Amino acid sequence: MAQVGIVMGSDSDMPVMSKAADVLTALGISFEMRIISAHREPDVFFEYAKSAEEKGFKVIIAGAGMAAHLPGMCAAIFPMPVIGIPMHTTSLGGRDSLYSIVQMPSGIPVATVAINGGANAGLLAAKILATSDGELLDRLKAYSQNLKESVQKKDERLQQTGYENY
């Protein structure tokens, strides 16, 4: 049974959304990924959001661009946490998506990560799940430590090449 639902409005969102999936996979968290347009397939979307709790989802990660209704609509229907990923757009650089997701009405919260922040959405979902799963918390700590060490090694290589002021 999947713990996290990952949903996006278009297959063009897949490069960003797959980063969330990569983090969840690395941490051993089960997920289901779907492409559903809230505008083009409202009945399919409504059924997805309505059935998410009974499917066992604990968190939904929803990515959307422009008007970005998908995360907010998930939050309006699904009683558990929803994480919104605003997608970069050519017209406004993703600011339209960001504002649409972050400006939800009172009572419909959506946690929002950076524009194209797929990896951070995966990490946030893991942190939410880790509040009630000690084994996951240990895996998350190890994952974070590995990331920190990787960044430190890159920094050391930069310094060795003379790029201290990057």
Side-chain angles (χ1 to χ4, degrees):
M1 185 178 299
Q3 293 179 285
V4 179
I6 300 175
V7 64
M8 66 205 89
S10 170
D11 62 353
S12 64
D13 300 334
M14 188 61 77
V16 171
M17 302 307 284
S18 66
K19 291 177 182 173
D22 291 346
V23 169
L24 296 175
T25 298
L27 291 167
I29 298 170
S30 59
F31 63 91
E32 173 188 297
M33 190 179 307
R34 298 276 310 269
I35 299 170
I36 305 170
S37 170
H39 296 115
R40 293 181 210 91
E41 304 171 293
D43 294 337
V44 174
F45 165 75
F46 187 75
E47 184 56 36
Y48 171 83
K50 205 167 85 169
S51 66
E53 183 181 11
E54 66 189 48
K55 286 182 182 178
F57 293 176
K58 303 295 183 210
V59 180
I60 290 179
I61 299 172
M66 301 192 323
H69 289 103
L70 197 59
M73 288 301 296
C74 284
I77 298 167
F78 181 64
M80 305 296 270
V82 174
I83 302 167
I85 303 175
M87 294 295 160
H88 183 273
T89 58
T90 55
S91 57
L92 297 173
R95 290 184 304 280
D96 47 347
S97 312
L98 175 65
Y99 294 153
S100 294
I101 296 172
V102 83
Q103 291 294 340
M104 294 303 302
S106 181
I108 314 293
V110 175
T112 309
V113 296
I115 296 168
N116 284 357
N120 275 349
L123 283 168
L124 181 55
K127 288 182 176 196
I128 291 168
L129 295 171
T131 62
S132 61
D133 183 337
E135 290 177 14
L136 175 57
L137 180 59
D138 291 340
R139 292 193 309 270
L140 187 57
K141 287 176 182 178
Y143 182 88
S144 296
Q145 183 62 35
N146 288 339
L147 281 178
K148 182 180 177 182
E149 289 170 5
S150 175
V151 169
Q152 287 172 341
K153 286 178 185 176
K154 288 178 184 177
D155 185 49
E156 288 169 9
R157 283 194 300 266
L158 277 173
Q159 289 179 11
Q160 289 170 355
T161 59
Y163 292 100
E164 295 90 13
N165 298 319
Y166 55 91

